[in-house]
Every structure is written in C-alpha cells, then in structure tokens.
C-alpha cells in the first residue's frame, strides 16, 4: 500500500495522466467509481478510465489496451478488480515504461505479475486479514490510504471531502460480488 500511495502522490506532483483500468462487472465498475470520484475530489486533474468491452475484449488486463493508453499519454495505470493473472499486459507495461498498480481480490497464481505494486488481500504476503473484500473494497482502502497521505503531507493540498461520499459504490460492489457480509464489509 505504501509504495502505491507514494507513486500516486508522485503522479499528482508531476501532473501525470492516470488511468483507472477496471473490470466491466459491477464490482469493477463500483471500484472505478470509487477511485475516479475520490481522485478528482482530492484534486487530481487528469484521471481517465478504461473498461474492456465484454464481448470483443473479454475479461482481463490486456496488453493491447496498455499500448493504447500509453499512446494517450498515460504514465500510471491503476487496475481495479482485475490483473492478478494478466502477465502479458504487465510485460507490455514494463516495455513501454508505464507503471501499473494492481488492485485485485482474486486468488493469485504461484507467480505474481511484474507490477510496480500489488494490493491484494488474498496474496500470500498479505497480513491485513481483509481477504473477504471485493475489488471495490480494495479500491476503497487504497483511496483511504491516499486521502490520509494527502492529509499528513504538508506539501499537498487539503480538503474537507468525506470518504463517505463513495460508500454507496462500496456497497454495490460488495453486494453484487457476493462476498461475505462480515467485519468491514458489514460495517461499511
């Protein structure tokens, strides 16, 4: 999480173009809404988004899309609810010098993709105990950490925007992805 937040803060300071790459289901779409709304409310000016077309592209984080995004001037991609098994897309991103922060909740393979950072409570190294979150839930926690970084860093702008504004999206993602309604899922 720390590395992801630091890279997103760097993108803010350098006025980089960011793209949120989300799955096309309601979990991914809810996570996309969480991050896009939150980043813009925090003060990001250039936040694009991409969702693969279900019938023509199918599920996943795709190398062809990475090329397209690079051509549009994107230097940082944040995935939502997708990417944990998309090795070719991460290879393409590395080749094109595009940083990718992978957020997902799906079970990873033994090998992990070569992302700049991976936020997935279901990976072996994770000790958060949040493996019950859906993709939108993981996106919410990233936004929460980013909001805290903006609050704590005196060089970054402050605002009174409240994370509660995106809780409806958290709920939609949680309910439609049918993850357990326990602990933070129930409280939020």
């Amino acid at each position: 999480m720390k590395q992801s937040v630091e890279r997103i803060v760097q993108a803010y300071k350098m006025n980089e173009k960011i793209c949120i790459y989300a799955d096309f289901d309601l979990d991914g779409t809810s996570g996309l809404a969480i991050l896009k709304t939150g980043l813009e409310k925090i003060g990001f000016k250039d936040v694009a988004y991409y969702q693969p077309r279900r019938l023509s592209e199918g599920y996943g984080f795709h190398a062809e899309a990475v090329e397209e995004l690079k051509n549009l001037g994107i230097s940082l991609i944040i995935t939502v609810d997708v990417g944990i098994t998309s090795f070719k897309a991460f290879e393409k991103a590395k080749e094109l010098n595009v940083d990718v922060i992978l957020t997902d909740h799906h079970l990873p393979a033994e090998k992990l993709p070569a992302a700049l950072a991976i936020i997935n409570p279901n990976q072996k190294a994770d000790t958060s105990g949040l493996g019950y979150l859906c993709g939108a839930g993981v996106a919410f926690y990233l936004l929460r950490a980013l909001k805290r970084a903006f609050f704590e860093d005196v060089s970054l702008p402050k605002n009174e925007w409240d994370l509660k504004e995106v809780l409806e999206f958290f709920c939609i993602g949680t309910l439609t992805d049918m993850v357990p309604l326990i602990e933070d899922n129930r409280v939020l």
Side-chain angles (χ1 to χ4, degrees), residues 82-151:
V82 69
I84 200 66
T85 59
S86 301
F87 297 97
K88 288 182 182 178
F90 286 95
E91 291 167 11
K92 180 57 73 176
K94 193 172 204 92
E95 174 188 316
L96 297 174
N97 202 30
V98 174
D99 288 334
V100 183
I101 296 169
L102 189 167
T103 78
D104 203 344
H105 71 113
H106 296 103
L107 295 175
E110 279 298 313
K111 180 182 172 192
L112 295 172
L116 174 74
I118 299 174
I119 304 172
N120 182 332
N122 288 305
Q123 62 181 313
K124 288 181 184 176
D126 187 88
T127 59
S128 69
L130 297 171
Y132 52 83
L133 291 175
C134 64
V138 176
F140 180 81
Y141 273 82
L142 173 59
L143 181 59
R144 184 176 165 204
L146 185 63
K147 178 120 169 76
R148 176 174 284 144
F150 268 68
F151 179 77

Side-chain angles (χ1 to χ4, degrees), residues 3-185:
Q3 185 179 15
S4 299
V5 168
E6 287 172 356
R7 179 61 183 92
I8 298 169
V9 167
Q10 176 190 356
Y12 177 84
K13 289 179 177 179
M14 303 298 291
N15 204 27
E16 293 178 59
K17 193 171 186 179
I18 296 174
C19 181
I20 303 163
Y21 187 114
D23 188 19
F24 50 71
D25 69 3
L26 276 175
D27 183 17
T29 301
S30 297
L32 166 61
I34 287 169
L35 284 182
K36 184 155 177 46
T37 300
L39 290 172
E40 290 172 348
K41 294 288 187 174
I42 288 172
F44 285 79
K45 302 290 185 227
D46 207 351
V47 182
Y49 67 92
Y50 186 94
Q51 289 182 284
R53 289 169 284 293
R54 182 177 182 216
L55 297 178
S56 61
E57 294 174 273
Y59 173 80
F61 180 45
H62 304 291
E64 300 80 18
V66 173
E67 284 187 78
E68 183 180 323
L69 294 172
K70 172 66 175 181
N71 290 336
L72 294 172
I74 302 294
S75 55
L76 175 62
I77 298 171
I78 304 169
T79 74
V80 177
D81 192 36
V82 69
I84 200 66
T85 59
S86 301
F87 297 97
K88 288 182 182 178
F90 286 95
E91 291 167 11
K92 180 57 73 176
K94 193 172 204 92
E95 174 188 316
L96 297 174
N97 202 30
V98 174
D99 288 334
V100 183
I101 296 169
L102 189 167
T103 78
D104 203 344
H105 71 113
H106 296 103
L107 295 175
E110 279 298 313
K111 180 182 172 192
L112 295 172
L116 174 74
I118 299 174
I119 304 172
N120 182 332
N122 288 305
Q123 62 181 313
K124 288 181 184 176
D126 187 88
T127 59
S128 69
L130 297 171
Y132 52 83
L133 291 175
C134 64
V138 176
F140 180 81
Y141 273 82
L142 173 59
L143 181 59
R144 184 176 165 204
L146 185 63
K147 178 120 169 76
R148 176 174 284 144
F150 268 68
F151 179 77
E152 293 173 350
D153 187 332
V154 295
S155 70
L156 296 171
K158 308 296 178 258
N159 65 52
E160 298 300 317
W161 178 70
D162 194 337
L163 282 167
K164 291 177 187 172
E165 187 176 316
V166 296
L167 279 180
E168 291 95 352
F169 303 131
F170 178 96
C171 292
I172 291 168
T174 299
L175 293 173
T176 59
D177 220 46
M178 301 188 310
V179 292
L181 292 178
I182 58 172
E183 300 183 37
D184 290 10
N185 282 346

